[in-house]
Amino acid sequence: MSVEVSDHPRLGQIVQILKGRDTGKFGIIIQIVDDRFVLIADGDKRKFDQPKKKNLLHLKLLEAVSSEVVDSLTETGRVTNGKLRYALSKFVEEQQASVHEKGE
């Protein structure tokens, strides 16, 4: 995962949902609709074929970008739900590991 600081959404970027039913959960940007909206999916509740359209004001753009998801989207135009789940679980594990290291 690459880490870059930017206020513009990017494909493959991991986001935290701030508003709505899924508040606090994570998703991955799979399409940028316009300057206000993106489509996100998590491969579990929100599959690639039925992504959620979210307003950028309702999302926290995180620094992590999944290179696997970006590569798949640019090569084939789609990404498997398994790859989305894997990228999110890897991100959550890294977050927990860094919190755990700081706590000791």
Side-chain angles (χ1 to χ4, degrees):
M1 299 215 181
S2 62
V3 177
E4 299 172 22
V5 179
S6 173
D7 57 350
H8 297 295
R10 297 185 308 282
L11 285 179
Q13 187 170 16
I14 296 178
V15 297
Q16 185 171 19
I17 300 167
L18 300 176
K19 301 271 187 190
R21 179 180 297 168
D22 297 328
T23 299
K25 295 186 179 174
F26 296 101
I28 298 179
I29 296 175
I30 59 169
Q31 184 180 339
I32 298 169
V33 178
D34 56 28
D35 59 348
R36 282 188 55 207
F37 292 97
V38 295
L39 297 181
I40 64 169
D42 62 10
D44 184 23
K45 184 178 174 206
R46 284 284 171 194
K47 307 282 190 205
F48 176 82
D49 294 330
Q50 294 184 328
K52 178 71 177 166
K53 183 178 181 182
K54 291 294 281 183
N55 188 324
L56 286 170
L57 297 175
H58 298 171
L59 297 173
K60 178 180 181 184
L61 298 177
L62 303 174
E63 296 175 1
V65 175
S66 172
S67 56
E68 295 96 347
V69 172
V70 173
D71 292 344
S72 183
L73 284 170
T74 53
E75 288 172 14
T76 65
R78 56 182 294 117
V79 63
T80 64
N81 291 313
K83 198 170 280 191
L84 290 170
R85 288 191 302 270
Y86 172 76
L88 284 174
S89 67
K90 194 165 100 173
F91 170 75
V92 170
E93 285 174 17
E94 289 173 4
Q95 292 297 104
Q96 290 173 344
S98 67
V99 167
H100 185 66
E101 289 172 6
K102 291 177 186 174
E104 291 182 0

